[in-house]
Amino acid sequence: MSNMFTSKNPAGVAVGQTAAIFGVLAAGAVNAHMQGLQAMRAARESNNSHVLRHQLDGAIQYAETLMTLAEQQAAEIVRLKAENERVKTAARTHYESARRLAQKVAA
C-alpha cells in the first residue's frame, strides 16, 4: 500500500487504509462475538447438566423413599398374614370347643 503523502490519490489511500483498519477491527469483533456465543453455549450446557443432575438426584431420592415404604409395607403384610393365621386358629379352637360344649349340653 502506498503512502498517502506521496500518492496521487491521497483520499483513496486514506479510504483503503481506513477500510483495512476497520476490516481488522470487524474481524476481531466477529471473532470475539463467536467466542462469546461459544462460551454462552458451554455455560448453558453446564447449567443444563447441573439441572439434570439435580433432577436425577431428586428422582433417586424419591425412588429410595418408595423402596423403603414398599419394604415396610411388605413386612406389614407378612405380619398381618401371621396374625390372620393366629386368629383363624384361635377362632377354630373356640368354635370346636363351643360345639363340643353344645353337644354335651344337648346330650
Side-chain angles (χ1 to χ4, degrees):
M1 191 175 276
S2 64
N3 186 345
M4 75 180 213
F5 297 110
T6 59
S7 172
K8 290 183 181 181
N9 184 4
V13 171
V15 167
Q17 289 175 350
T18 304
I21 290 170
F22 279 118
V24 169
L25 290 175
V30 167
N31 187 27
H33 178 70
M34 295 307 286
Q35 287 179 350
L37 287 177
Q38 186 177 6
M40 181 185 68
R41 286 186 189 113
R44 185 180 300 142
E45 287 176 12
S46 175
N47 184 46
N48 288 345
S49 176
H50 289 303
V51 168
L52 289 175
R53 182 61 193 175
H54 178 70
Q55 290 173 344
L56 179 61
D57 287 343
I60 289 170
Q61 184 178 5
Y62 183 66
E64 288 174 351
T65 302
L66 290 179
M67 183 67 169
T68 302
L69 179 64
E71 289 171 349
Q72 291 170 350
Q73 293 298 314
E76 180 71 8
I77 288 170
V78 168
R79 188 189 69 75
L80 290 174
K81 282 183 178 180
E83 179 72 14
N84 190 27
E85 287 301 317
R86 187 188 69 74
V87 169
K88 280 179 16 179
T89 303
R92 188 177 318 116
T93 303
H94 289 303
Y95 174 74
E96 290 171 359
S97 176
R99 197 163 185 204
R100 282 193 303 269
L101 185 60
Q103 287 175 351
K104 283 183 184 180
V105 171

